[in-house]
Amino acid sequence: MKIDHDILNSAAAWWAGERISEHLQEEDLARIWSTPWPELVQEVKRAASDPELAKPNAMIPTSHLGAMPPERVLAKNLFILPLALHLFSTETTEVRLKVNVVGLERLDEALTSCGRVCLLGGHVGPGLATSYVLNLLGYAISHQSRRNFFEGLKLPRYETIAHIPTGGFRLASLARAMADLESGRVLFTAADGVAGTSGRAFNFLGKSRQFQSGFGYTITRCKAEAIPVYARLDSDANLTIEFGDPLCPIADEWPDQDRQEGIAHGYVTALEKYWLLHERNVPDRQLRLQASRAECEPGAAAHSFCVRG
């Protein structure tokens, strides 16, 4: 099935929060919705690699046509993530068959021992998949983000994901996050920030990058476990969600301030490793921002704070 490139591009722009093209009709979205997942993957790849389909306002710049790794093409067109998940059965067994979930036992162990868990994701790969898949698997999820992406597409069972807006009054977002953690819900937050321009500056792969600081306070104040988690796609759009080891576990009895600092350092180090291991899932925007950042002073440790000049 051939899907018009303008339709793919408009749908991608819509998912990214841009204005919907006046040419994008409900029947166009319905056509994408009904396309089998393997065919949709091939159509996105076709749209990204065929110079004849290049448009000035395309989500994929002309300069990248034919050169961008398939993983990045798929991750860049974020709209295909909910479309893929839309095709999943909401039966737990079906979700487990279609998603490779690595290290889920770490989440289960933390919930059993502590009852309060904050998942620290990032803007790498299709990160939104984590909250939605866990929701389908039966976990009570609260998702911190600027926009409620799940509601926009009316995905199956999206109503059971509690959305915590991060825009506007920041203290209100923190208070809601702490309340949800205390109630036993699993909190997901992208702790790296969209642009890495606010918070505290760290040495991130040799460059000075700022990371949000509120998540460390939320975690230590609620005495929650902090677990890094990332989602990634391979070149055939197979989805993997991977949970890391808890950062500064409560059982180690860290003082609150030391634990807050340790969680921040641990998160930055984990994100660095993930970038290096799965560079093809790092969005173009993140790579451009990283290239534009100031160098840290020679000898600065990879996990240290980095004062910008």
Side-chain angles (χ1 to χ4, degrees):
M1 176 185 293
K2 296 287 187 181
I3 300 178
D4 185 84
H5 184 255
D6 283 335
I7 296 176
L8 284 172
N9 187 59
S10 296
W14 172 48
W15 179 244
E18 299 179 9
R19 182 176 61 84
I20 299 177
S21 168
E22 60 184 9
H23 303 297
L24 183 62
Q25 306 297 324
E26 287 188 12
E27 54 266 29
D28 295 328
L29 286 176
R31 185 179 180 189
I32 298 177
W33 259 231
S34 62
T35 302
W37 173 232
E39 292 184 24
L40 184 63
V41 171
Q42 292 307 313
E43 284 304 302
V44 172
K45 289 183 178 181
R46 181 181 69 88
S49 61
D50 188 345
E52 295 300 319
L53 297 177
K55 302 291 181 182
N57 63 340
M59 289 291 288
I60 302 173
T62 305
S63 60
H64 292 152
L65 293 176
M68 187 182 294
E71 296 91 336
R72 194 168 298 143
V73 172
L74 294 166
K76 187 177 182 67
N77 286 270
L78 291 179
F79 79 101
I80 67 173
L81 166 65
L83 297 180
L85 297 175
H86 180 69
L87 300 176
F88 288 169
S89 164
T90 54
E91 293 295 327
T92 298
T93 53
E94 290 295 314
V95 175
R96 289 184 181 275
L97 286 174
K98 295 181 178 180
V99 182
N100 180 29
V101 182
V102 180
L104 185 61
E105 68 278 2
R106 295 182 175 119
L107 172 59
D108 292 334
E109 290 168 1
L111 286 172
T112 299
S113 63
C114 174
R116 297 174 296 279
V117 178
C118 181
L119 299 177
L120 301 176
H123 293 82
V124 181
L128 292 168
T130 301
S131 291
Y132 190 70
V133 168
L134 288 176
N135 176 60
L136 294 181
L137 292 177
Y139 293 86
I141 301 295
S142 292
H143 186 96
Q144 247 185 337
S145 62
R146 182 174 58 88
R147 298 172 58 217
N148 189 344
F149 299 97
F150 309 106
E151 182 181 24
L153 291 177
K154 300 295 187 293
L155 299 174
R157 287 168 49 181
Y158 83 89
E159 302 96 336
T160 54
I161 299 177
H163 177 241
I164 303 177
T166 55
F169 189 48
R170 183 168 176 76
L171 288 180
S173 180
L174 288 174
R176 170 72 184 282
M178 288 191 287
D180 282 16
L181 277 174
E182 293 285 2
S183 72
R185 299 185 67 87
V186 176
L187 175 67
F188 176 92
T189 187
D192 57 351
V194 176
T197 55
S198 63
R200 300 184 70 174
F202 281 81
N203 179 346
F204 183 74
L205 297 174
K207 297 291 190 73
S208 177
R209 173 176 177 168
Q210 291 178 286
F211 287 82
Q212 298 179 15
S213 55
F215 68 89
Y217 173 81
T218 301
I219 292 166
T220 54
R221 182 68 180 268
C222 294
K223 299 190 183 303
E225 296 288 11
I227 298 178
V229 60
Y230 302 104
R232 64 179 182 271
L233 293 168
D234 65 17
S235 58
D236 293 317
N238 295 310
L239 178 62
T240 295
I241 297 175
E242 184 173 358
F243 296 82
D245 291 320
L247 304 175
C248 304
I250 292 175
D252 291 350
E253 299 182 347
W254 292 63
D256 282 354
Q257 187 60 40
D258 291 345
R259 184 168 184 250
Q260 186 171 336
E261 297 288 336
I263 288 172
H265 291 312
Y267 173 76
V268 172
T269 300
L271 186 63
E272 281 185 321
K273 291 179 179 178
Y274 208 82
W275 269 50
L276 294 174
L277 286 172
H278 304 290
E279 184 270 340
R280 289 188 168 199
N281 266 257
V282 180
D284 280 2
R285 182 189 182 194
Q286 293 297 325
L287 293 175
R288 290 196 299 270
L289 286 170
Q290 178 67 6
S292 69
R293 294 182 178 116
E295 299 277 350
C296 278
E297 293 188 9
H303 61 275
S304 67
F305 290 113
C306 181
V307 179
R308 297 190 303 167

